[in-house]
Amino acid sequence: MYSKNITSSEPTLILVLIDQSGSMGSHWGNSGISKCELAANAVNHTLYDLTLNACMKDGELIDRVHVGVFGYGQGGVSWRLPGAEASGWQTASSWCTGFASTARVPVSHDGHRAIEQEIPIWLEPVAANGTPMAPAFQKAHQVVKAHAVAYPNSHPPIVINITDGWPTDTGVPITN
């Protein structure tokens, strides 16, 4: 079984790729909530949980988790966290405090109503144009490789791709 601690001297990288194509503007089932809103809420919740559970110790911010968030859709692939870094990731001291605002967002449902919580908002919902997934994966490869070179003994990077469907840049016909 593999085991590797995440430490300040050997921080891990969590890289999120998020589909921000036009189809992400449609509703998830009969929820009345768009897929881009649900995806943004999931990323914001994850970043908030990481801040509280992985980057705080005795009320102090510690640099154990580096984060990168890239959206792909309108305009290709772009950095989605405030205060972009040339490396493609931000250290905890930068991303944990770099949120743009706070908002009440749904965190669960009790069967009758949505239960909301106020959390920091790093990522806003976006939905426009096609799904250039190949360049997003190329960007992820560059960022992961650079982090692995900078922190060769760290926990392996984690890459999360949030999408609702097919890439539009592969040249392969889409069939359902």
Side-chain angles (χ1 to χ4, degrees), residues 27-34 37:
H27 289 167
W28 177 257
N30 294 325
S31 69
I33 301 172
S34 68
E37 288 176 273

Side-chain angles (χ1 to χ4, degrees), residues 3 38 80 93 111 130:
S3 176
L38 290 170
R80 289 297 181 200
S93 61

Side-chain angles (χ1 to χ4, degrees), residues 44-65:
N44 288 323
H45 281 278
T46 300
L47 294 177
Y48 184 54
D49 286 344
L50 283 170
T51 300
L52 296 178
N53 297 310
C55 297
M56 296 295 289
K57 184 175 182 180
D58 300 326
E60 297 290 322
L61 190 60
I62 54 175
D63 186 32
R64 286 192 253 195
V65 179

Side-chain angles (χ1 to χ4, degrees), residues 25-123:
S26 63
H27 289 167
W28 177 257
N30 294 325
S31 69
I33 301 172
S34 68
K35 291 179 264 185
C36 64
E37 288 176 273
L38 290 170
N41 285 347
V43 171
N44 288 323
H45 281 278
T46 300
L47 294 177
Y48 184 54
D49 286 344
L50 283 170
T51 300
L52 296 178
N53 297 310
C55 297
M56 296 295 289
K57 184 175 182 180
D58 300 326
E60 297 290 322
L61 190 60
I62 54 175
D63 186 32
R64 286 192 253 195
V65 179
H66 294 169
V67 169
V69 178
F70 291 89
Y72 56 96
Q74 182 176 12
V77 180
S78 58
W79 178 260
R80 289 297 181 200
L81 290 179
E85 298 287 330
S87 63
W89 71 80
Q90 288 182 306
T91 62
S93 61
S94 180
W95 73 264
C96 287
T97 59
F99 56 90
S101 63
T102 61
R104 293 193 64 78
V105 297
V107 293
S108 65
H109 201 278
D110 68 3
H112 303 287
R113 63 182 170 82
I115 298 169
E116 294 182 339
Q117 176 184 14
E118 186 158 338
I119 66 167
I121 302 298
W122 286 270
L123 181 70

